[in-house]
Protein backbone atom coordinates (compact mmCIF):
# COMPACT_ATOMS: atom_id res chain seq x y z
CA UNK A 1 0.00 0.00 0.00
CA UNK A 2 1.31 3.49 -0.97
CA UNK A 3 2.63 5.46 1.99
CA UNK A 4 1.80 9.11 2.60
CA UNK A 5 4.96 10.74 3.93
CA UNK A 6 4.99 13.68 6.28
CA UNK A 7 4.53 17.07 4.70
CA UNK A 8 7.68 18.80 3.57
CA UNK A 9 8.00 22.59 3.34
CA UNK A 10 10.30 24.61 1.05
CA UNK A 11 10.48 28.19 -0.18
CA UNK A 12 10.09 27.46 -3.91
CA UNK A 13 8.78 24.56 -5.98
CA UNK A 14 9.53 24.42 -9.72
CA UNK A 15 7.37 21.92 -11.63
CA UNK A 16 9.08 20.44 -14.68
CA UNK A 17 12.84 20.07 -15.23
CA UNK A 18 13.03 21.80 -18.61
CA UNK A 19 14.84 24.95 -19.72
CA UNK A 20 12.36 27.29 -17.99
CA UNK A 21 12.65 25.75 -14.51
CA UNK A 22 16.41 25.28 -14.93
CA UNK A 23 16.77 28.96 -15.86
CA UNK A 24 14.51 30.20 -13.08
CA UNK A 25 16.19 27.96 -10.51
CA UNK A 26 19.63 29.20 -11.56
CA UNK A 27 18.55 32.85 -11.45
CA UNK A 28 17.03 32.44 -7.98
CA UNK A 29 20.13 30.64 -6.72
CA UNK A 30 22.46 33.34 -8.07
CA UNK A 31 20.34 36.27 -6.86
CA UNK A 32 19.13 34.87 -3.52
CA UNK A 33 21.20 31.76 -2.70
CA UNK A 34 19.55 31.28 0.70
CA UNK A 35 16.21 30.25 -0.85
CA UNK A 36 15.28 26.54 -0.71
CA UNK A 37 14.26 25.10 -4.09
CA UNK A 38 12.57 21.81 -4.99
CA UNK A 39 12.42 20.83 -8.70
CA UNK A 40 9.89 18.12 -9.56
CA UNK A 41 10.05 16.15 -12.85
CA UNK A 42 7.50 13.47 -13.78
CA UNK A 43 9.83 11.67 -16.21
CA UNK A 44 12.94 9.71 -15.26
CA UNK A 45 15.28 11.98 -17.25
CA UNK A 46 15.90 15.72 -17.40
CA UNK A 47 14.81 17.86 -20.39
CA UNK A 48 13.13 15.00 -22.25
CA UNK A 49 10.12 16.94 -23.56
CA UNK A 50 10.10 20.38 -25.25
CA UNK A 51 13.69 21.21 -24.23
CA UNK A 52 15.14 18.12 -25.91
CA UNK A 53 17.10 18.85 -29.10
CA UNK A 54 15.05 16.47 -31.27
CA UNK A 55 11.77 17.86 -29.94
CA UNK A 56 12.56 21.57 -30.19
CA UNK A 57 11.66 23.37 -33.43
CA UNK A 58 13.66 26.50 -32.63
CA UNK A 59 17.26 26.38 -31.46
CA UNK A 60 18.37 29.96 -31.06
CA UNK A 61 15.32 32.01 -32.08
CA UNK A 62 16.68 35.54 -32.39
CA UNK A 63 14.43 36.92 -35.19
CA UNK A 64 17.36 37.06 -37.61
CA UNK A 65 15.70 34.70 -40.09
CA UNK A 66 12.19 33.85 -38.84
CA UNK A 67 9.85 35.55 -41.32
CA UNK A 68 6.76 35.05 -39.13
CA UNK A 69 8.21 37.58 -36.66
CA UNK A 70 8.09 40.33 -39.31
CA UNK A 71 4.54 40.30 -40.74
CA UNK A 72 3.53 42.45 -43.67
CA UNK A 73 0.93 45.08 -42.80
CA UNK A 74 -2.12 45.79 -44.95
CA UNK A 75 -0.41 48.88 -46.38
CA UNK A 76 2.53 46.74 -47.56
CA UNK A 77 5.01 47.89 -44.89
CA UNK A 78 6.82 45.40 -42.66
CA UNK A 79 6.20 45.35 -38.90
CA UNK A 80 9.54 44.67 -37.16
CA UNK A 81 8.49 45.38 -33.55
CA UNK A 82 8.26 41.69 -32.56
CA UNK A 83 11.59 40.90 -34.22
CA UNK A 84 13.31 43.69 -32.26
CA UNK A 85 11.78 42.48 -28.97
CA UNK A 86 12.85 38.87 -29.53
CA UNK A 87 16.34 39.87 -30.68
CA UNK A 88 16.76 41.99 -27.52
CA UNK A 89 15.59 39.09 -25.34
CA UNK A 90 17.94 36.64 -27.01
CA UNK A 91 20.89 38.95 -26.31
CA UNK A 92 19.83 38.84 -22.63
CA UNK A 93 20.00 35.03 -22.74
CA UNK A 94 23.47 35.10 -24.27
CA UNK A 95 24.71 37.53 -21.61
CA UNK A 96 23.44 35.30 -18.80
CA UNK A 97 25.00 32.20 -20.34
CA UNK A 98 28.27 34.13 -20.81
CA UNK A 99 28.25 35.05 -17.09
CA UNK A 100 27.71 31.40 -16.15
CA UNK A 101 30.60 30.32 -18.39
CA UNK A 102 32.86 33.08 -17.02
CA UNK A 103 32.19 31.89 -13.45
CA UNK A 104 32.62 28.19 -14.19
CA UNK A 105 28.95 27.35 -13.64
CA UNK A 106 28.62 26.27 -17.27
CA UNK A 107 31.64 24.52 -18.72
CA UNK A 108 32.57 23.98 -22.37
CA UNK A 109 30.01 26.30 -24.01
CA UNK A 110 30.50 24.55 -27.35
CA UNK A 111 28.50 21.67 -25.89
CA UNK A 112 25.35 23.79 -26.00
CA UNK A 113 25.97 26.77 -28.34
CA UNK A 114 27.78 27.27 -31.67
CA UNK A 115 27.92 29.85 -34.42
CA UNK A 116 25.60 28.81 -37.25
CA UNK A 117 24.53 31.47 -39.81
CA UNK A 118 20.83 32.32 -39.89
CA UNK A 119 19.33 32.76 -43.37
CA UNK A 120 15.92 33.34 -44.92
CA UNK A 121 15.18 31.98 -48.40
CA UNK A 122 12.10 32.75 -50.49
CA UNK A 123 10.88 31.75 -53.94
CA UNK A 124 8.78 33.69 -56.46
CA UNK A 125 8.57 37.39 -57.27
CA UNK A 126 6.07 38.34 -54.55
CA UNK A 127 8.07 36.78 -51.70
CA UNK A 128 11.36 38.16 -53.06
CA UNK A 129 9.82 41.63 -52.94
CA UNK A 130 8.70 41.02 -49.33
CA UNK A 131 12.14 39.76 -48.26
CA UNK A 132 13.82 42.81 -49.78
CA UNK A 133 11.44 45.13 -47.90
CA UNK A 134 12.09 43.19 -44.71
CA UNK A 135 15.84 43.44 -45.21
CA UNK A 136 15.73 47.20 -45.85
CA UNK A 137 13.56 47.79 -42.80
CA UNK A 138 15.50 45.55 -40.41
CA UNK A 139 18.93 46.91 -41.36
CA UNK A 140 17.80 50.31 -40.07
CA UNK A 141 17.96 48.71 -36.60
CA UNK A 142 21.23 48.21 -34.69
CA UNK A 143 20.46 44.60 -33.77
CA UNK A 144 20.26 43.65 -37.45
CA UNK A 145 23.25 45.56 -38.83
CA UNK A 146 25.39 43.27 -40.96
CA UNK A 147 22.47 41.45 -42.56
CA UNK A 148 23.05 40.75 -46.25
CA UNK A 149 20.46 40.39 -49.01
CA UNK A 150 21.02 38.87 -52.42
CA UNK A 151 19.22 37.58 -55.48
CA UNK A 152 22.55 36.75 -57.11
CA UNK A 153 22.78 33.00 -57.70
CA UNK A 154 26.56 33.06 -57.15
CA UNK A 155 26.07 34.56 -53.66
CA UNK A 156 23.41 31.97 -52.89
CA UNK A 157 25.69 29.14 -54.03
CA UNK A 158 28.24 30.33 -51.47
CA UNK A 159 25.64 30.69 -48.70
CA UNK A 160 23.87 27.34 -49.19
CA UNK A 161 25.47 25.32 -52.03
CA UNK A 162 23.41 22.20 -51.34
CA UNK A 163 20.17 24.13 -51.89
CA UNK A 164 21.33 25.38 -55.28
CA UNK A 165 22.18 21.97 -56.77
CA UNK A 166 19.77 21.00 -59.54
CA UNK A 167 17.86 24.27 -59.31
CA UNK A 168 16.46 26.01 -62.40
CA UNK A 169 18.71 28.99 -63.13
CA UNK A 170 15.66 31.04 -64.12
CA UNK A 171 13.88 30.46 -60.80
CA UNK A 172 13.19 33.70 -58.97
CA UNK A 173 14.58 33.51 -55.45
CA UNK A 174 16.40 35.56 -52.83
CA UNK A 175 17.94 35.16 -49.41
CA UNK A 176 19.24 37.12 -46.45
CA UNK A 177 22.15 36.07 -44.25
CA UNK A 178 23.21 36.94 -40.70
CA UNK A 179 26.53 35.44 -39.68
CA UNK A 180 25.95 35.97 -35.93
CA UNK A 181 23.24 33.30 -35.79
CA UNK A 182 23.65 30.47 -33.32
CA UNK A 183 22.55 26.89 -32.79
CA UNK A 184 21.58 26.09 -29.20
CA UNK A 185 21.07 22.61 -27.81
CA UNK A 186 18.60 23.44 -25.05
CA UNK A 187 18.59 19.85 -23.81
CA UNK A 188 22.33 19.98 -23.16
CA UNK A 189 22.05 23.46 -21.63
CA UNK A 190 19.21 22.39 -19.33
CA UNK A 191 21.08 19.32 -18.12
CA UNK A 192 24.18 21.46 -17.36
CA UNK A 193 22.11 23.98 -15.40
CA UNK A 194 20.36 21.22 -13.44
CA UNK A 195 23.68 19.51 -12.74
CA UNK A 196 24.97 22.74 -11.21
CA UNK A 197 21.82 23.14 -9.10
CA UNK A 198 22.19 19.55 -7.86
CA UNK A 199 25.45 20.54 -6.19
CA UNK A 200 23.72 23.15 -4.00
CA UNK A 201 22.76 22.16 -0.45
CA UNK A 202 19.45 24.02 -0.60
CA UNK A 203 18.32 22.64 -4.00
CA UNK A 204 16.64 19.25 -4.49
CA UNK A 205 16.01 17.64 -7.89
CA UNK A 206 13.38 14.89 -7.77
CA UNK A 207 12.59 12.77 -10.85
CA UNK A 208 9.62 10.41 -11.38
CA UNK A 209 7.55 12.84 -9.30
CA UNK A 210 4.15 13.81 -10.69
CA UNK A 211 2.16 16.68 -9.20
CA UNK A 212 -1.42 15.44 -8.89
CA UNK A 213 -2.98 18.52 -7.27
CA UNK A 214 -2.20 22.10 -6.19
CA UNK A 215 -4.25 23.85 -3.53
CA UNK A 216 -3.97 27.19 -1.74
CA UNK A 217 -3.55 26.94 2.05
CA UNK A 218 -3.71 29.40 4.92
CA UNK A 219 -0.68 31.54 5.59
CA UNK A 220 0.07 32.19 1.93
CA UNK A 221 1.26 28.64 1.25
CA UNK A 222 0.56 26.24 -1.61
CA UNK A 223 0.18 22.51 -0.97
CA UNK A 224 1.17 20.10 -3.73
CA UNK A 225 0.10 16.47 -3.74
CA UNK A 226 2.98 14.56 -5.31
CA UNK A 227 3.14 10.93 -6.40
CA UNK A 228 6.35 8.96 -6.98
CA UNK A 229 5.66 7.19 -10.28
CA UNK A 230 8.23 4.51 -9.53
CA UNK A 231 7.28 3.53 -5.97
CA UNK A 232 3.70 4.79 -5.78
CA UNK A 233 4.50 6.74 -2.61
CA UNK A 234 2.59 9.97 -2.04
CA UNK A 235 3.85 13.13 -0.43
CA UNK A 236 2.63 16.63 0.38
CA UNK A 237 4.93 19.55 -0.29
CA UNK A 238 4.16 23.06 0.93
CA UNK A 239 5.78 26.10 -0.72
CA UNK A 240 5.56 29.86 -0.58
CA UNK A 241 6.06 30.11 -4.36
CA UNK A 242 5.21 27.66 -7.13
CA UNK A 243 6.28 27.90 -10.76
CA UNK A 244 4.59 25.65 -13.30
CA UNK A 245 7.02 25.11 -16.17
CA UNK A 246 5.75 21.75 -17.35
CA UNK A 247 5.45 22.48 -21.07
CA UNK A 248 2.09 21.46 -22.49
CA UNK A 249 1.07 20.02 -19.11
CA UNK A 250 1.24 23.50 -17.50
CA UNK A 251 -2.35 24.34 -18.44
CA UNK A 252 -3.76 21.28 -16.64
CA UNK A 253 -1.77 22.09 -13.48
CA UNK A 254 -2.70 25.77 -13.65
CA UNK A 255 -6.37 24.79 -13.74
CA UNK A 256 -5.91 22.62 -10.64
CA UNK A 257 -4.56 25.64 -8.73
CA UNK A 258 -7.97 27.32 -8.91
CA UNK A 259 -6.58 30.86 -9.23
CA UNK A 260 -9.11 33.27 -10.82
CA UNK A 261 -6.48 34.46 -13.29
CA UNK A 262 -6.47 31.01 -14.95
CA UNK A 263 -10.13 31.18 -15.92
CA UNK A 264 -10.77 31.44 -19.64
CA UNK A 265 -7.43 29.97 -20.70
CA UNK A 266 -7.49 26.94 -22.97
CA UNK A 267 -4.98 25.04 -25.03
CA UNK A 268 -4.70 23.90 -28.64
CA UNK A 269 -2.17 21.07 -29.06
CA UNK A 270 0.07 20.94 -32.13
CA UNK A 271 2.39 18.01 -32.81
CA UNK A 272 5.15 17.70 -35.35
CA UNK A 273 7.62 15.60 -37.29
CA UNK A 274 11.00 16.16 -38.91
CA UNK A 275 12.79 14.72 -41.87
CA UNK A 276 16.21 13.82 -40.47
CA UNK A 277 19.11 13.37 -42.86
CA UNK A 278 20.96 10.07 -42.42
CA UNK A 279 23.58 10.61 -45.15
CA UNK A 280 26.81 12.05 -43.61
CA UNK A 281 27.99 13.38 -46.99
CA UNK A 282 24.84 15.49 -47.39
CA UNK A 283 24.99 16.70 -43.78
CA UNK A 284 28.52 18.04 -44.35
CA UNK A 285 27.45 20.05 -47.41
CA UNK A 286 25.03 22.35 -45.56
CA UNK A 287 25.89 24.76 -42.73
CA UNK A 288 23.15 27.11 -41.64
CA UNK A 289 19.59 27.56 -40.50
CA UNK A 290 17.58 28.47 -43.59
CA UNK A 291 13.98 29.52 -42.93
CA UNK A 292 11.29 29.89 -45.58
CA UNK A 293 7.71 31.18 -45.51
CA UNK A 294 4.99 29.14 -43.86
CA UNK A 295 2.22 27.70 -46.01
CA UNK A 296 -1.13 29.50 -45.88
CA UNK A 297 -2.97 28.37 -42.74
CA UNK A 298 0.13 26.83 -41.15
CA UNK A 299 0.96 27.58 -37.49
CA UNK A 300 4.16 29.60 -36.90
CA UNK A 301 6.04 26.68 -35.35
CA UNK A 302 5.77 24.81 -38.67
CA UNK A 303 7.67 27.39 -40.71
CA UNK A 304 9.80 25.19 -43.00
CA UNK A 305 13.52 25.29 -42.37
CA UNK A 306 16.61 23.36 -43.35
CA UNK A 307 18.43 23.29 -40.08
CA UNK A 308 22.01 22.51 -39.06
CA UNK A 309 22.06 21.22 -35.48
CA UNK A 310 24.77 20.00 -33.13
CA UNK A 311 23.48 17.16 -30.96
CA UNK A 312 25.78 15.23 -28.64
CA UNK A 313 28.74 16.80 -30.45
CA UNK A 314 27.63 15.55 -33.86
CA UNK A 315 26.49 17.75 -36.74
CA UNK A 316 22.94 16.90 -37.84
CA UNK A 317 20.58 18.14 -40.56
CA UNK A 318 16.81 18.39 -40.15
CA UNK A 319 14.02 19.65 -42.38
CA UNK A 320 10.54 20.60 -41.23
CA UNK A 321 8.85 20.59 -38.87
CA UNK A 322 5.68 19.14 -40.31
CA UNK A 323 2.74 20.08 -38.12
CA UNK A 324 0.25 17.53 -36.87
CA UNK A 325 -2.63 17.16 -34.45
CA UNK A 326 -2.93 15.06 -31.32
CA UNK A 327 -5.02 15.48 -28.18
CA UNK A 328 -1.86 14.92 -26.11
CA UNK A 329 -0.36 17.95 -24.36
CA UNK A 330 3.06 16.28 -24.05
CA UNK A 331 4.95 13.84 -26.27
CA UNK A 332 4.76 11.39 -23.36
CA UNK A 333 1.33 12.59 -22.30
CA UNK A 334 -2.21 11.21 -22.47
CA UNK A 335 -4.77 11.35 -25.29
CA UNK A 336 -7.19 12.57 -22.60
CA UNK A 337 -5.14 15.76 -21.99
CA UNK A 338 -7.25 17.97 -24.27
CA UNK A 339 -10.65 16.75 -22.99
CA UNK A 340 -9.40 17.05 -19.38
CA UNK A 341 -8.47 20.72 -19.98
CA UNK A 342 -12.01 21.74 -20.97
CA UNK A 343 -13.82 23.55 -18.15
CA UNK A 344 -16.95 25.70 -17.90
CA UNK A 345 -14.71 28.79 -17.71
CA UNK A 346 -12.87 28.10 -20.98
CA UNK A 347 -15.29 26.15 -23.16
CA UNK A 348 -16.64 29.39 -24.69
CA UNK A 349 -13.22 30.80 -25.70
CA UNK A 350 -12.11 27.37 -26.94
CA UNK A 351 -15.21 26.89 -29.13
CA UNK A 352 -14.94 30.43 -30.46
CA UNK A 353 -11.22 30.05 -31.26
CA UNK A 354 -11.93 26.64 -32.82
CA UNK A 355 -14.54 28.07 -35.18
CA UNK A 356 -12.26 30.96 -36.14
CA UNK A 357 -9.40 28.53 -36.82
CA UNK A 358 -11.14 25.82 -38.85
CA UNK A 359 -8.64 26.29 -41.74
CA UNK A 360 -5.81 25.60 -39.26
CA UNK A 361 -7.50 22.42 -38.04
CA UNK A 362 -8.01 21.30 -41.65
CA UNK A 363 -4.35 22.06 -42.39
CA UNK A 364 -3.12 20.06 -39.37
CA UNK A 365 -5.24 17.04 -40.31
CA UNK A 366 -3.88 17.18 -43.87
CA UNK A 367 -0.35 17.25 -42.44
CA UNK A 368 -1.05 14.18 -40.28
CA UNK A 369 -2.05 12.05 -43.28
CA UNK A 370 0.93 13.10 -45.43
CA UNK A 371 3.08 10.19 -46.54
CA UNK A 372 6.91 10.34 -46.36
CA UNK A 373 6.86 10.96 -50.12
CA UNK A 374 4.53 13.96 -49.63
CA UNK A 375 6.95 15.29 -47.01
CA UNK A 376 9.79 14.85 -49.51
CA UNK A 377 7.95 17.09 -52.00
CA UNK A 378 8.08 19.94 -49.45
CA UNK A 379 11.78 19.34 -48.91
CA UNK A 380 12.42 19.53 -52.66
CA UNK A 381 11.60 23.23 -52.68
CA UNK A 382 14.73 23.61 -50.54
CA UNK A 383 16.72 20.70 -51.98
CA UNK A 384 15.63 19.95 -55.59
CA UNK A 385 17.74 16.76 -55.74
CA UNK A 386 16.54 15.32 -52.40
CA UNK A 387 15.97 11.54 -52.29
CA UNK A 388 13.91 9.74 -49.66
CA UNK A 389 16.65 7.17 -49.15
CA UNK A 390 18.79 9.90 -47.53
CA UNK A 391 16.12 10.93 -45.00
CA UNK A 392 14.00 9.39 -42.26
CA UNK A 393 10.97 10.61 -40.35
CA UNK A 394 11.65 11.70 -36.75
CA UNK A 395 8.87 12.55 -34.29
CA UNK A 396 9.13 16.05 -32.83
CA UNK A 397 7.68 17.38 -29.59
CA UNK A 398 4.18 18.53 -28.67
CA UNK A 399 3.27 22.19 -28.27
CA UNK A 400 0.14 23.65 -26.70
CA UNK A 401 -0.83 27.04 -28.08
CA UNK A 402 -2.66 29.46 -25.80
CA UNK A 403 -6.38 30.12 -26.19
CA UNK A 404 -7.62 33.07 -24.16
CA UNK A 405 -10.73 35.17 -23.71
CA UNK A 406 -11.24 38.02 -26.12
CA UNK A 407 -14.02 40.64 -25.77
CA UNK A 408 -14.55 40.91 -29.53
CA UNK A 409 -14.23 37.29 -30.69
CA UNK A 410 -15.02 35.36 -27.52
CA UNK A 411 -11.71 33.55 -27.71
CA UNK A 412 -8.48 33.83 -29.70
CA UNK A 413 -5.65 31.44 -30.46
CA UNK A 414 -2.28 33.00 -29.68
CA UNK A 415 1.11 31.88 -30.96
CA UNK A 416 3.70 32.81 -28.38
CA UNK A 417 4.49 32.48 -24.70
CA UNK A 418 2.49 33.90 -21.81
CA UNK A 419 3.03 33.98 -18.06
CA UNK A 420 -0.14 33.65 -15.97
CA UNK A 421 0.27 34.45 -12.28
CA UNK A 422 -1.89 34.79 -9.17
CA UNK A 423 -2.72 38.26 -7.89
CA UNK A 424 -0.31 37.90 -4.95
CA UNK A 425 2.48 36.53 -7.17
CA UNK A 426 2.78 33.29 -5.19
CA UNK A 427 2.04 31.05 -8.20
CA UNK A 428 2.97 31.47 -11.86
CA UNK A 429 2.72 29.30 -14.96
CA UNK A 430 4.27 29.58 -18.39
CA UNK A 431 1.94 28.74 -21.26
CA UNK A 432 2.56 28.56 -25.00
CA UNK A 433 5.55 27.82 -27.17
CA UNK A 434 7.81 29.73 -29.59
CA UNK A 435 10.11 31.57 -29.03
CA UNK A 436 10.09 30.26 -25.42
CA UNK A 437 13.45 28.61 -24.80
CA UNK A 438 15.53 31.26 -26.58
CA UNK A 439 13.98 34.07 -24.55
CA UNK A 440 13.79 32.10 -21.29
CA UNK A 441 16.15 34.36 -19.32
CA UNK A 442 14.25 37.60 -20.04
CA UNK A 443 10.92 35.88 -19.34
CA UNK A 444 12.14 34.51 -16.00
CA UNK A 445 13.69 37.82 -14.87
CA UNK A 446 10.36 39.53 -15.53
CA UNK A 447 8.58 36.75 -13.65
CA UNK A 448 10.83 37.31 -10.62
CA UNK A 449 10.11 41.04 -10.77
CA UNK A 450 6.37 40.36 -10.78
CA UNK A 451 6.29 37.57 -8.20
CA UNK A 452 8.98 38.88 -5.82
CA UNK A 453 8.47 42.68 -6.16
CA UNK A 454 10.04 43.64 -2.82
CA UNK A 455 13.22 41.66 -3.46
CA UNK A 456 13.39 42.90 -7.06
CA UNK A 457 13.33 46.53 -5.87
CA UNK A 458 16.23 46.16 -3.46
CA UNK A 459 19.61 47.70 -4.45
CA UNK A 460 21.40 44.43 -3.64
CA UNK A 461 19.15 42.47 -6.02
CA UNK A 462 19.53 45.04 -8.79
CA UNK A 463 23.32 45.11 -8.46
CA UNK A 464 23.50 41.32 -8.61
CA UNK A 465 21.20 41.26 -11.63
CA UNK A 466 23.45 43.67 -13.52
CA UNK A 467 26.40 41.36 -12.85
CA UNK A 468 24.44 38.50 -14.42
CA UNK A 469 23.12 40.63 -17.29
CA UNK A 470 25.25 43.80 -17.64
CA UNK A 471 22.83 45.61 -19.98
CA UNK A 472 19.62 44.75 -18.11
CA UNK A 473 17.19 47.67 -18.43
CA UNK A 474 19.00 49.09 -21.46
CA UNK A 475 18.14 48.70 -25.14
CA UNK A 476 20.92 47.38 -27.35
CA UNK A 477 18.89 48.35 -30.37
CA UNK A 478 18.97 52.00 -29.29
CA UNK A 479 22.74 52.04 -28.68
CA UNK A 480 24.99 50.84 -31.52
CA UNK A 481 28.20 51.03 -29.47
CA UNK A 482 26.70 49.11 -26.53
CA UNK A 483 25.26 46.50 -28.92
CA UNK A 484 28.67 45.95 -30.55
CA UNK A 485 30.53 45.85 -27.22
CA UNK A 486 28.03 43.44 -25.65
CA UNK A 487 28.08 41.05 -28.58
CA UNK A 488 31.88 41.05 -28.67
CA UNK A 489 32.02 40.10 -24.98
CA UNK A 490 29.35 37.40 -25.07
CA UNK A 491 30.74 35.86 -28.26
CA UNK A 492 34.22 35.73 -26.74
CA UNK A 493 33.04 34.05 -23.54
CA UNK A 494 30.73 31.64 -25.36
CA UNK A 495 33.50 30.80 -27.85
CA UNK A 496 31.44 31.89 -30.83
CA UNK A 497 33.04 33.02 -34.08
CA UNK A 498 34.54 36.48 -33.27
CA UNK A 499 34.49 37.49 -36.95
CA UNK A 500 30.73 37.15 -36.96
CA UNK A 501 30.15 39.31 -33.89
CA UNK A 502 30.28 42.66 -35.72
Amino acid sequence: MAKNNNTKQVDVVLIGAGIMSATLGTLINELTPEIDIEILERLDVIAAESSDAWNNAGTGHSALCELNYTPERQDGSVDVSKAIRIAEQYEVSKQFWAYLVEHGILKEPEKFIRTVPHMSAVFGEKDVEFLNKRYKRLTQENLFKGMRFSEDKEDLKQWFPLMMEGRDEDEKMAATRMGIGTDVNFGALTRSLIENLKSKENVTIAINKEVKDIKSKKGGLWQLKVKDLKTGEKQNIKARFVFIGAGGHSLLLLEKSGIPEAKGYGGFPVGGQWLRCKNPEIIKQHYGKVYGKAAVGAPPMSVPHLDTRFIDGEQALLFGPYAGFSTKFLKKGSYFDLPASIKLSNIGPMLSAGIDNLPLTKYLISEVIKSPEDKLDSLKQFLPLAKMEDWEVEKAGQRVQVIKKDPKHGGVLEFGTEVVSSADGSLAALLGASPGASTSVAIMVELLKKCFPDRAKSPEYRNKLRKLIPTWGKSLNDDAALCHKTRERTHRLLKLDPEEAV
Side-chain angles (χ1 to χ4, degrees), residues 410-484:
V412 293
L413 180 65
E414 298 218 337
F415 296 103
T417 47
E418 181 154 349
V419 174
V420 181
S421 59
S422 59
D424 64 358
S426 64
L427 181 141
L430 186 80
L431 305 179
S434 179
S438 299
T439 58
S440 56
V441 179
I443 292 171
M444 292 299 105
V445 172
E446 285 298 332
L447 184 148
L448 287 172
K449 181 180 175 182
K450 186 174 183 179
C451 295
F452 297 91
D454 293 337
R455 285 181 184 270
K457 288 175 185 174
S458 73
E460 183 185 10
Y461 179 97
R462 289 170 180 265
N463 290 336
K464 281 186 177 181
L465 184 58
R466 288 196 185 96
K467 287 180 182 177
L468 305 181
I469 306 160
T471 69
W472 183 256
K474 299 176 183 177
S475 168
L476 297 187
N477 198 51
D478 292 342
D479 189 332
L482 183 63
C483 182
H484 179 79

Side-chain angles (χ1 to χ4, degrees), residues 271-495:
Q273 291 181 330
W274 298 101
L275 282 180
R276 173 182 176 180
C277 186
K278 55 184 181 179
N279 186 330
E281 292 306 311
I282 291 175
I283 294 170
K284 285 192 299 188
Q285 292 176 58
H286 181 81
Y287 198 81
K289 295 179 181 291
V290 184
Y291 277 60
K293 284 199 83 174
V296 176
M301 82 292 301
S302 65
V303 171
H305 50 293
L306 189 65
D307 196 344
T308 294
R309 299 276 181 95
F310 284 89
I311 301 172
D312 299 327
E314 296 290 325
Q315 187 172 332
L317 183 61
L318 305 181
F319 179 77
Y322 299 90
F325 180 77
S326 166
T327 55
K328 289 183 177 184
F329 278 6
L330 289 169
K331 192 172 181 178
K332 296 181 180 179
S334 165
Y335 288 110
F336 294 104
D337 286 343
L338 178 58
S341 74
I342 300 172
K343 310 292 181 186
L344 283 174
S345 64
N346 66 13
I347 191 168
M350 288 182 73
L351 286 172
S352 178
I355 292 168
D356 288 345
N357 288 277
L358 285 176
L360 172 60
T361 306
K362 184 180 176 183
Y363 169 81
L364 293 175
I365 293 169
S366 72
E367 286 282 289
V368 170
I369 62 176
K370 269 187 176 179
S371 67
E373 289 71 26
D374 291 332
K375 291 179 170 64
L376 185 68
D377 287 340
S378 302
L379 172 60
K380 281 187 173 180
Q381 185 178 44
F382 280 67
L383 298 179
L385 301 183
K387 298 175 183 176
M388 197 63 224
E389 64 202 52
D390 295 320
W391 299 79
E392 61 187 0
V393 176
E394 178 87 26
K395 191 174 181 182
Q398 283 286 115
R399 298 290 183 272
V400 177
Q401 303 305 318
V402 178
I403 294 174
K404 58 192 293 190
K405 283 182 180 177
D406 181 80
K408 288 184 180 178
H409 303 281
V412 293
L413 180 65
E414 298 218 337
F415 296 103
T417 47
E418 181 154 349
V419 174
V420 181
S421 59
S422 59
D424 64 358
S426 64
L427 181 141
L430 186 80
L431 305 179
S434 179
S438 299
T439 58
S440 56
V441 179
I443 292 171
M444 292 299 105
V445 172
E446 285 298 332
L447 184 148
L448 287 172
K449 181 180 175 182
K450 186 174 183 179
C451 295
F452 297 91
D454 293 337
R455 285 181 184 270
K457 288 175 185 174
S458 73
E460 183 185 10
Y461 179 97
R462 289 170 180 265
N463 290 336
K464 281 186 177 181
L465 184 58
R466 288 196 185 96
K467 287 180 182 177
L468 305 181
I469 306 160
T471 69
W472 183 256
K474 299 176 183 177
S475 168
L476 297 187
N477 198 51
D478 292 342
D479 189 332
L482 183 63
C483 182
H484 179 79
K485 179 183 176 183
T486 299
R487 279 177 167 167
E488 274 197 326
R489 176 180 174 274
T490 56
H491 283 227
R492 172 176 51 81
L493 289 169
L494 294 174
K495 298 183 181 178

Side-chain angles (χ1 to χ4, degrees), residues 123-192:
F123 311 90
E125 194 166 335
K126 183 181 177 183
D127 286 345
V128 168
E129 182 184 340
F130 163 74
L131 189 65
N132 196 12
K133 280 195 294 187
R134 176 184 184 271
Y135 158 75
K136 288 177 178 176
R137 179 64 189 84
L138 279 178
T139 48
Q140 296 173 25
E141 309 294 334
N142 287 315
L143 287 164
F144 299 90
K145 297 292 185 189
M147 179 181 283
R148 294 178 60 192
F149 170 88
S150 186
E151 297 179 61
D152 190 315
K153 295 291 198 299
E154 293 306 311
D155 285 339
L156 304 186
K157 285 175 183 176
Q158 287 186 10
W159 294 357
F160 37 65
L162 190 65
M163 286 179 58
M164 301 305 290
E165 289 181 8
R167 193 172 294 280
D168 186 343
E169 283 293 327
D170 295 327
E171 182 178 11
K172 185 79 171 173
M173 66 179 296
T176 55
R177 182 183 188 276
M178 281 289 279
I180 62 168
T182 54
D183 172 65
V184 181
N185 184 329
F186 283 104
L189 175 58
T190 301
R191 286 185 285 274
S192 293

